[in-house]
């Protein structure tokens, strides 16, 4: 039985676009939300890939039914976002590096592990 996995992306810049493009090519993946502090970016991603735009990632975390949050923001922002995603019951994919501080990366891992969730760091490459 194939299950559709729902993804939401935080950060609608260049890296977010790579994540969205690659996820949109997977039959069992569905893009359900895009969050960016620049509203036009989130709107454009939602128009191109489907899903709902959000202008605050916290709102997206509380309102979306995503299974996985793909964090594509600058490295120093990953920690807080990943921990909050885990608190909302979302698995986490983080664009490399996980964070710029080891202790933050460890806290991210701990939050996901304690919530029974997966976390992984990934560098998406243009195919």
């Amino acid at each position: 039985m194939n299950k559709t996995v729902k993804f939401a992306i935080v950060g609608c810049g260049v890296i977010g676009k790579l994540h969205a493009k690659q996820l949109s090519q997977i039959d069992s993946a569905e893009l359900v939300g895009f969050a960016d502090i620049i509203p036009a970016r989130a709107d454009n991603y939602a128009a191109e890939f489907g899903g709902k735009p959000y202008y605050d990632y916290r709102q997206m975390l509380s309102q979306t039914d995503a299974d996985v949050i793909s964090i594509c923001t600058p490295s120093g922002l990953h920690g807080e976002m990943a921990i909050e995603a885990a608190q909302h019951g979302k698995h986490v994919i983080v664009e490399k590096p996980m964070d710029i501080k080891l202790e933050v990366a460890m806290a991210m891992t701990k939050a996901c592990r304690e919530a029974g969730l997966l976390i992984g760091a990934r560098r998406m490459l243009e195919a």
Side-chain angles (χ1 to χ4, degrees):
M1 180 169 111
N2 289 337
K3 178 187 183 231
T4 297
V5 179
K6 296 179 180 181
F7 289 83
I9 294 177
V10 180
C12 298
V14 173
I15 298 302
K17 183 82 151 199
L18 292 176
H19 283 235
K21 282 181 178 179
Q22 291 185 359
L23 289 167
S24 71
Q25 295 176 14
I26 300 171
D27 290 337
S28 59
E30 178 184 358
L31 290 161
V32 297
F34 300 95
D36 200 284
I37 59 172
I38 299 172
R41 286 184 180 179
D43 291 340
N44 290 340
Y45 274 50
E48 183 174 350
F49 297 103
K52 183 175 178 182
Y54 296 89
Y55 314 128
D56 181 327
Y57 78 93
R58 289 180 177 100
Q59 182 182 24
M60 184 176 73
L61 289 175
S62 67
Q63 293 181 4
T64 186
D65 63 347
D67 302 302
V68 182
I69 302 298
S70 185
I71 301 173
C72 302
T73 58
S75 300
L77 302 175
H78 294 172
E80 181 177 328
M81 293 175 174
I83 291 168
E84 288 184 54
Q87 291 168 345
H88 281 87
K90 315 291 186 189
H91 298 285
V92 177
I93 296 173
V94 183
E95 182 66 17
K96 285 184 177 180
M98 281 185 71
D99 200 81
I100 57 175
K101 295 181 181 174
L102 177 60
E103 60 271 14
V104 175
M106 296 300 290
M108 294 162 61
T109 302
K110 181 180 177 188
C112 288
R113 182 178 294 136
E114 288 178 353
L117 301 165
L118 300 173
I119 185 170
R122 173 110 176 113
R123 167 95 37 212
M124 293 285 185
L125 301 174
E126 189 82 45

